[in-house]
Amino acid sequence: MAVKVKQTGYGKWKIPFIIILVIIVLCLAGAGILLEDSLSVSVPDGSIRIEVADGDSTSVVANTLSDAGIIKYPELFKIQSKLGGYDGNIKPGAATIEDGMSYGQILDLLITSGREMRKVTIPEGFDISQIADKLNNEGVIGWREFYAALNPEEYDYPFLKNLPQRDGAMEGYLFPATYDIPHNMSAHDIIDLMLSAFDSQFTDEYYNRASELGMTVDQVITMASIVEREAGSDSEMPKVAGVFYNRRNSGMKFQSCATVQYILGERKPVLSIADTQIDSPYNTYIYPDFPIGPICNPGLESIKAALYPEVTEAYYFVLGKDGTHIFSNTYEEHLAAMGSSDPTMSVDGSAIENQDSMKQ
Protein backbone atom coordinates (compact mmCIF):
# COMPACT_ATOMS: atom_id res chain seq x y z
CA MET A 1 0.00 0.00 0.00
CA ALA A 2 1.57 3.26 -1.08
CA VAL A 3 1.95 6.04 1.45
CA LYS A 4 1.45 9.56 0.15
CA VAL A 5 3.89 12.04 1.67
CA LYS A 6 2.59 15.54 1.98
CA GLN A 7 5.13 18.14 0.65
CA THR A 8 5.97 20.77 3.25
CA GLY A 9 6.75 24.44 2.61
CA TYR A 10 10.36 23.80 3.65
CA GLY A 11 10.88 21.27 0.93
CA LYS A 12 9.39 23.62 -1.63
CA TRP A 13 11.82 26.43 -0.72
CA LYS A 14 14.86 24.35 0.21
CA ILE A 15 16.78 24.65 -3.07
CA PRO A 16 16.09 28.38 -3.67
CA PHE A 17 17.05 29.07 -0.05
CA ILE A 18 20.38 27.31 -0.49
CA ILE A 19 21.03 29.26 -3.69
CA ILE A 20 20.24 32.54 -1.98
CA LEU A 21 22.42 31.59 0.98
CA VAL A 22 25.34 30.77 -1.35
CA ILE A 23 24.90 34.10 -3.12
CA ILE A 24 24.89 35.93 0.21
CA VAL A 25 28.02 34.11 1.35
CA LEU A 26 29.77 34.87 -1.92
CA CYS A 27 28.75 38.51 -1.70
CA LEU A 28 29.99 38.75 1.85
CA ALA A 29 33.24 37.05 0.89
CA GLY A 30 33.66 39.42 -2.04
CA ALA A 31 32.87 42.38 0.16
CA GLY A 32 35.44 41.15 2.63
CA ILE A 33 38.08 40.98 -0.07
CA LEU A 34 37.16 44.45 -1.26
CA LEU A 35 37.17 45.74 2.30
CA GLU A 36 40.55 44.15 3.02
CA ASP A 37 42.22 45.98 0.12
CA SER A 38 40.48 49.28 0.81
CA LEU A 39 41.59 49.20 4.45
CA SER A 40 45.19 48.14 3.84
CA VAL A 41 46.87 48.13 0.44
CA SER A 42 49.81 45.89 -0.24
CA VAL A 43 52.66 47.91 -1.79
CA PRO A 44 55.69 46.14 -3.27
CA ASP A 45 59.00 47.15 -1.64
CA GLY A 46 57.17 49.02 1.12
CA SER A 47 56.46 52.22 -0.81
CA ILE A 48 55.90 53.53 -4.33
CA ARG A 49 56.08 57.12 -5.57
CA ILE A 50 53.55 58.13 -8.20
CA GLU A 51 53.20 61.35 -10.16
CA VAL A 52 49.88 63.17 -10.43
CA ALA A 53 49.68 65.59 -13.33
CA ASP A 54 47.84 68.89 -13.12
CA GLY A 55 44.20 68.25 -14.01
CA ASP A 56 44.26 64.48 -13.45
CA SER A 57 40.77 63.20 -12.59
CA THR A 58 39.99 60.65 -9.90
CA SER A 59 39.52 58.07 -12.65
CA VAL A 60 43.00 58.75 -14.06
CA VAL A 61 44.54 58.60 -10.58
CA ALA A 62 42.70 55.36 -9.79
CA ASN A 63 44.08 53.79 -12.97
CA THR A 64 47.58 55.07 -12.12
CA LEU A 65 47.34 53.45 -8.69
CA SER A 66 46.01 50.24 -10.20
CA ASP A 67 48.68 50.10 -12.91
CA ALA A 68 51.35 50.58 -10.24
CA GLY A 69 49.97 47.59 -8.33
CA ILE A 70 48.96 49.72 -5.36
CA ILE A 71 45.18 49.20 -5.40
CA LYS A 72 43.23 46.22 -6.76
CA TYR A 73 39.83 47.82 -7.23
CA PRO A 74 39.94 51.20 -9.00
CA GLU A 75 36.12 51.31 -9.24
CA LEU A 76 35.84 51.02 -5.46
CA PHE A 77 38.50 53.73 -5.11
CA LYS A 78 36.45 56.02 -7.37
CA ILE A 79 33.27 55.33 -5.39
CA GLN A 80 35.02 56.14 -2.12
CA SER A 81 36.43 59.32 -3.64
CA LYS A 82 32.96 60.36 -4.82
CA LEU A 83 31.23 59.62 -1.54
CA GLY A 84 34.02 61.24 0.49
CA GLY A 85 33.98 64.49 -1.46
CA TYR A 86 37.54 64.08 -2.81
CA ASP A 87 36.63 64.48 -6.48
CA GLY A 88 38.03 67.67 -7.95
CA ASN A 89 40.36 68.28 -5.00
CA ILE A 90 43.31 66.07 -5.92
CA LYS A 91 46.53 68.14 -6.13
CA PRO A 92 49.27 67.61 -8.73
CA GLY A 93 52.77 66.47 -7.83
CA ALA A 94 54.53 63.42 -6.50
CA ALA A 95 53.02 61.23 -3.79
CA THR A 96 54.63 58.37 -1.92
CA ILE A 97 52.17 55.57 -1.11
CA GLU A 98 53.23 53.43 1.84
CA ASP A 99 52.41 49.78 2.44
CA GLY A 100 49.32 49.36 4.64
CA MET A 101 47.66 52.67 3.76
CA SER A 102 43.88 52.64 3.31
CA TYR A 103 42.08 54.08 0.32
CA GLY A 104 40.96 56.92 2.59
CA GLN A 105 44.53 57.67 3.68
CA ILE A 106 45.68 57.65 0.07
CA LEU A 107 42.94 60.10 -0.85
CA ASP A 108 43.81 62.31 2.12
CA LEU A 109 47.42 62.36 0.90
CA LEU A 110 46.44 63.16 -2.68
CA ILE A 111 44.43 66.25 -1.71
CA THR A 112 47.31 67.64 0.37
CA SER A 113 49.26 70.54 -1.14
CA GLY A 114 53.05 70.35 -0.89
CA ARG A 115 52.91 66.74 0.22
CA GLU A 116 56.36 65.97 -1.22
CA MET A 117 58.16 69.04 0.10
CA ARG A 118 61.78 68.45 1.04
CA LYS A 119 63.06 70.67 3.86
CA VAL A 120 66.62 71.85 3.16
CA THR A 121 68.64 74.20 5.36
CA ILE A 122 71.36 76.31 3.74
CA PRO A 123 73.62 77.52 6.59
CA GLU A 124 74.87 81.10 6.76
CA GLY A 125 78.30 81.44 5.19
CA PHE A 126 77.97 78.55 2.74
CA ASP A 127 79.53 79.31 -0.64
CA ILE A 128 78.07 78.16 -3.95
CA SER A 129 80.10 74.95 -4.06
CA GLN A 130 78.88 73.97 -0.58
CA ILE A 131 75.27 74.71 -1.53
CA ALA A 132 75.61 72.63 -4.70
CA ASP A 133 77.08 69.72 -2.73
CA LYS A 134 74.35 69.88 -0.09
CA LEU A 135 71.53 69.91 -2.65
CA ASN A 136 73.19 67.06 -4.53
CA ASN A 137 73.85 64.96 -1.42
CA GLU A 138 70.28 65.37 -0.19
CA GLY A 139 68.90 64.26 -3.53
CA VAL A 140 67.27 67.60 -4.36
CA ILE A 141 69.12 68.47 -7.57
CA GLY A 142 72.35 67.36 -9.21
CA TRP A 143 75.27 69.75 -8.89
CA ARG A 144 75.73 69.88 -12.67
CA GLU A 145 72.15 71.09 -13.17
CA PHE A 146 72.61 73.55 -10.33
CA TYR A 147 75.78 75.08 -11.77
CA ALA A 148 74.24 75.22 -15.25
CA ALA A 149 71.39 77.38 -13.91
CA LEU A 150 73.71 79.93 -12.24
CA ASN A 151 73.33 82.57 -14.93
CA PRO A 152 72.44 86.06 -13.60
CA GLU A 153 70.86 87.05 -16.91
CA GLU A 154 68.13 84.45 -16.42
CA TYR A 155 66.79 86.13 -13.27
CA ASP A 156 65.06 89.49 -12.98
CA TYR A 157 66.38 91.07 -9.78
CA PRO A 158 67.92 94.56 -9.45
CA PHE A 159 70.88 93.34 -7.36
CA LEU A 160 72.02 91.08 -10.21
CA LYS A 161 72.35 93.93 -12.69
CA ASN A 162 75.82 95.10 -13.73
CA LEU A 163 77.76 92.55 -11.70
CA PRO A 164 81.51 92.40 -12.43
CA GLN A 165 82.67 89.63 -14.76
CA ARG A 166 83.79 86.83 -12.47
CA ASP A 167 83.46 83.14 -11.85
CA GLY A 168 80.56 82.39 -9.53
CA ALA A 169 78.87 85.69 -10.37
CA MET A 170 75.88 84.93 -8.14
CA GLU A 171 77.98 84.18 -5.06
CA GLY A 172 76.56 86.13 -2.15
CA TYR A 173 72.94 86.25 -3.30
CA LEU A 174 71.72 82.71 -2.58
CA PHE A 175 70.20 83.60 0.75
CA PRO A 176 70.88 81.14 3.59
CA ALA A 177 67.62 79.86 5.07
CA THR A 178 65.48 76.75 5.47
CA TYR A 179 63.54 76.02 2.30
CA ASP A 180 60.63 73.70 1.53
CA ILE A 181 61.50 72.43 -1.95
CA PRO A 182 58.90 70.41 -3.88
CA HIS A 183 59.91 67.13 -5.48
CA ASN A 184 61.24 67.58 -9.04
CA MET A 185 61.65 71.35 -8.69
CA SER A 186 64.07 72.60 -11.36
CA ALA A 187 67.49 74.03 -10.56
CA HIS A 188 66.36 77.37 -12.00
CA ASP A 189 63.36 77.50 -9.67
CA ILE A 190 65.43 76.48 -6.64
CA ILE A 191 67.89 79.29 -7.34
CA ASP A 192 65.02 81.69 -7.92
CA LEU A 193 63.61 80.67 -4.52
CA MET A 194 66.90 81.68 -2.86
CA LEU A 195 67.18 84.91 -4.85
CA SER A 196 63.60 85.79 -3.92
CA ALA A 197 64.47 85.28 -0.25
CA PHE A 198 67.44 87.66 -0.63
CA ASP A 199 65.19 90.17 -2.39
CA SER A 200 62.69 90.12 0.48
CA GLN A 201 65.44 90.59 3.10
CA PHE A 202 67.44 93.33 1.34
CA THR A 203 64.90 96.10 1.84
CA ASP A 204 64.68 99.63 0.42
CA GLU A 205 66.30 100.84 3.64
CA TYR A 206 69.36 98.76 2.83
CA TYR A 207 69.56 100.06 -0.74
CA ASN A 208 69.41 103.61 0.64
CA ARG A 209 72.02 102.84 3.28
CA ALA A 210 74.39 101.40 0.66
CA SER A 211 74.00 104.63 -1.31
CA GLU A 212 74.79 106.67 1.84
CA LEU A 213 77.99 104.67 2.26
CA GLY A 214 78.92 105.31 -1.36
CA MET A 215 78.90 101.57 -2.03
CA THR A 216 77.20 99.29 -4.50
CA VAL A 217 75.02 96.45 -3.27
CA ASP A 218 77.70 94.06 -4.52
CA GLN A 219 80.33 95.79 -2.36
CA VAL A 220 78.02 95.60 0.67
CA ILE A 221 77.45 91.88 0.15
CA THR A 222 81.18 91.36 -0.43
CA MET A 223 81.93 93.05 2.90
CA ALA A 224 79.15 91.05 4.58
CA SER A 225 80.58 87.81 3.21
CA ILE A 226 84.01 88.59 4.67
CA VAL A 227 82.45 89.49 8.01
CA GLU A 228 80.41 86.27 7.90
CA ARG A 229 83.54 84.15 7.49
CA GLU A 230 85.77 86.15 9.87
CA ALA A 231 83.51 86.85 12.87
CA GLY A 232 83.20 84.30 15.63
CA SER A 233 79.63 85.26 16.55
CA ASP A 234 76.79 87.57 15.54
CA SER A 235 77.72 89.97 18.36
CA GLU A 236 81.24 90.41 16.94
CA MET A 237 80.10 91.14 13.40
CA PRO A 238 79.63 94.94 13.65
CA LYS A 239 83.10 95.37 15.19
CA VAL A 240 84.75 93.07 12.63
CA ALA A 241 83.08 95.13 9.91
CA GLY A 242 84.38 98.29 11.61
CA VAL A 243 87.94 96.94 11.46
CA PHE A 244 87.75 96.27 7.73
CA TYR A 245 86.22 99.68 7.06
CA ASN A 246 89.06 101.25 9.06
CA ARG A 247 91.60 99.40 6.93
CA ARG A 248 89.84 100.39 3.71
CA ASN A 249 89.49 104.04 4.70
CA SER A 250 93.16 104.19 5.71
CA GLY A 251 94.44 102.70 2.46
CA MET A 252 95.43 99.43 4.11
CA LYS A 253 94.88 96.05 2.54
CA PHE A 254 92.07 93.98 4.04
CA GLN A 255 94.40 91.00 4.61
CA SER A 256 91.45 88.72 5.23
CA CYS A 257 92.35 85.06 5.74
CA ALA A 258 88.85 84.15 4.60
CA THR A 259 89.46 85.52 1.10
CA VAL A 260 92.54 83.32 0.73
CA GLN A 261 90.61 80.30 2.03
CA TYR A 262 88.02 81.00 -0.67
CA ILE A 263 90.74 80.84 -3.32
CA LEU A 264 92.07 77.60 -1.85
CA GLY A 265 88.59 76.09 -1.75
CA GLU A 266 89.03 74.96 1.85
CA ARG A 267 88.88 76.42 5.35
CA LYS A 268 92.59 75.90 5.95
CA PRO A 269 93.16 76.78 9.63
CA VAL A 270 96.71 78.09 9.23
CA LEU A 271 97.75 79.99 6.10
CA SER A 272 101.31 79.98 4.86
CA ILE A 273 103.19 82.85 3.26
CA ALA A 274 102.81 81.07 -0.08
CA ASP A 275 99.04 80.94 0.40
CA THR A 276 98.86 84.70 0.92
CA GLN A 277 100.86 85.31 -2.26
CA ILE A 278 98.48 83.51 -4.64
CA ASP A 279 97.69 85.89 -7.50
CA SER A 280 93.91 86.18 -7.52
CA PRO A 281 91.44 89.10 -7.58
CA TYR A 282 90.06 87.58 -4.38
CA ASN A 283 93.40 87.79 -2.56
CA THR A 284 93.18 90.74 -0.17
CA TYR A 285 96.80 90.20 0.93
CA ILE A 286 97.94 91.29 -2.54
CA TYR A 287 95.24 93.64 -3.80
CA PRO A 288 93.80 96.59 -1.85
CA ASP A 289 90.11 97.33 -1.27
CA PHE A 290 87.35 94.80 -1.87
CA PRO A 291 87.97 91.50 -3.61
CA ILE A 292 86.21 91.09 -6.94
CA GLY A 293 83.11 89.64 -5.29
CA PRO A 294 81.59 87.93 -2.27
CA ILE A 295 83.31 84.84 -0.87
CA CYS A 296 80.16 83.20 0.54
CA ASN A 297 76.45 83.77 0.97
CA PRO A 298 76.09 85.88 4.11
CA GLY A 299 73.20 85.85 6.54
CA LEU A 300 71.11 88.83 7.58
CA GLU A 301 73.22 89.71 10.65
CA SER A 302 76.42 90.03 8.64
CA ILE A 303 74.60 92.12 6.03
CA LYS A 304 73.41 94.45 8.79
CA ALA A 305 76.95 94.64 10.15
CA ALA A 306 78.28 95.60 6.70
CA LEU A 307 75.67 98.34 6.45
CA TYR A 308 75.90 99.55 10.05
CA PRO A 309 79.45 98.82 11.28
CA GLU A 310 80.59 99.61 14.79
CA VAL A 311 82.69 102.74 15.13
CA THR A 312 85.98 101.49 16.53
CA GLU A 313 89.67 102.44 16.73
CA ALA A 314 90.68 98.84 16.10
CA TYR A 315 92.60 97.85 12.97
CA TYR A 316 93.47 94.27 13.91
CA PHE A 317 91.90 91.20 15.46
CA VAL A 318 92.97 87.66 16.18
CA LEU A 319 91.11 84.64 17.50
CA GLY A 320 91.74 84.06 21.20
CA LYS A 321 91.93 80.70 22.89
CA ASP A 322 88.44 81.18 24.34
CA GLY A 323 86.90 81.38 20.86
CA THR A 324 86.35 85.15 20.85
CA HIS A 325 88.44 87.69 18.96
CA ILE A 326 91.00 90.02 20.52
CA PHE A 327 90.83 93.46 18.89
CA SER A 328 93.85 95.78 18.76
CA ASN A 329 94.33 99.40 17.73
CA THR A 330 98.02 99.12 16.78
CA TYR A 331 100.24 96.52 15.21
CA GLU A 332 102.31 96.28 18.39
CA GLU A 333 99.17 95.48 20.39
CA HIS A 334 98.25 92.96 17.71
CA LEU A 335 101.59 91.17 18.00
CA ALA A 336 101.10 90.91 21.75
CA ALA A 337 97.56 89.59 21.24
CA MET A 338 98.86 86.95 18.85
CA GLY A 339 100.94 85.54 21.69
CA SER A 340 97.75 84.58 23.48
CA SER A 341 95.81 83.53 20.39
CA ASP A 342 94.77 80.08 19.22
CA PRO A 343 97.73 78.86 17.12
CA THR A 344 95.52 76.40 15.23
CA MET A 345 93.16 79.08 13.93
CA SER A 346 95.29 81.95 12.64
CA VAL A 347 97.46 83.05 9.80
CA ASP A 348 101.20 82.41 9.98
CA GLY A 349 102.50 85.43 11.92
CA SER A 350 105.23 86.11 9.41
CA ALA A 351 102.62 86.56 6.69
CA ILE A 352 101.09 89.61 8.37
CA GLU A 353 102.45 92.85 7.08
CA ASN A 354 102.87 95.81 9.43
CA GLN A 355 100.62 98.37 7.78
CA ASP A 356 100.64 101.02 10.51
CA SER A 357 102.77 103.25 8.31
CA MET A 358 100.03 103.15 5.64
CA LYS A 359 97.37 104.69 7.92
CA GLN A 360 96.35 108.20 6.98
Side-chain angles (χ1 to χ4, degrees), residues 253-266:
K253 297 185 181 77
F254 277 35
Q255 290 193 323
S256 165
C257 299
T259 62
V260 177
Q261 291 168 336
Y262 184 70
I263 300 166
L264 296 173
E266 62 173 313

Side-chain angles (χ1 to χ4, degrees), residues 215-231:
M215 295 166 61
T216 65
V217 172
D218 199 52
Q219 287 174 326
V220 169
I221 299 305
T222 299
M223 175 66 86
S225 71
I226 294 173
V227 171
E228 182 74 61
R229 284 287 182 92
E230 292 278 7

Side-chain angles (χ1 to χ4, degrees), residues 76-128:
L76 179 61
F77 184 87
K78 288 187 281 185
I79 292 171
Q80 188 163 339
S81 175
K82 185 74 171 179
L83 295 177
Y86 295 97
D87 283 2
N89 295 312
I90 293 176
K91 302 295 189 296
T96 300
I97 312 301
E98 305 286 348
D99 185 56
M101 292 179 71
S102 67
Y103 284 11
Q105 289 173 324
I106 294 172
L107 286 163
D108 285 337
L109 176 65
L110 293 174
I111 65 170
T112 303
S113 298
R115 56 180 172 261
E116 286 286 303
M117 291 290 187
R118 193 184 299 263
K119 194 175 292 292
V120 179
T121 298
I122 305 301
E124 296 167 346
F126 259 33
D127 59 35
I128 283 177

Side-chain angles (χ1 to χ4, degrees), residues 21 30 42 121 142 160 182 187 198 245 292 303 311 319 347:
L21 183 61
S42 179
T121 298
L160 295 181
F198 179 95
Y245 277 117
I292 195 171
I303 293 174
V311 177
L319 189 65
V347 67

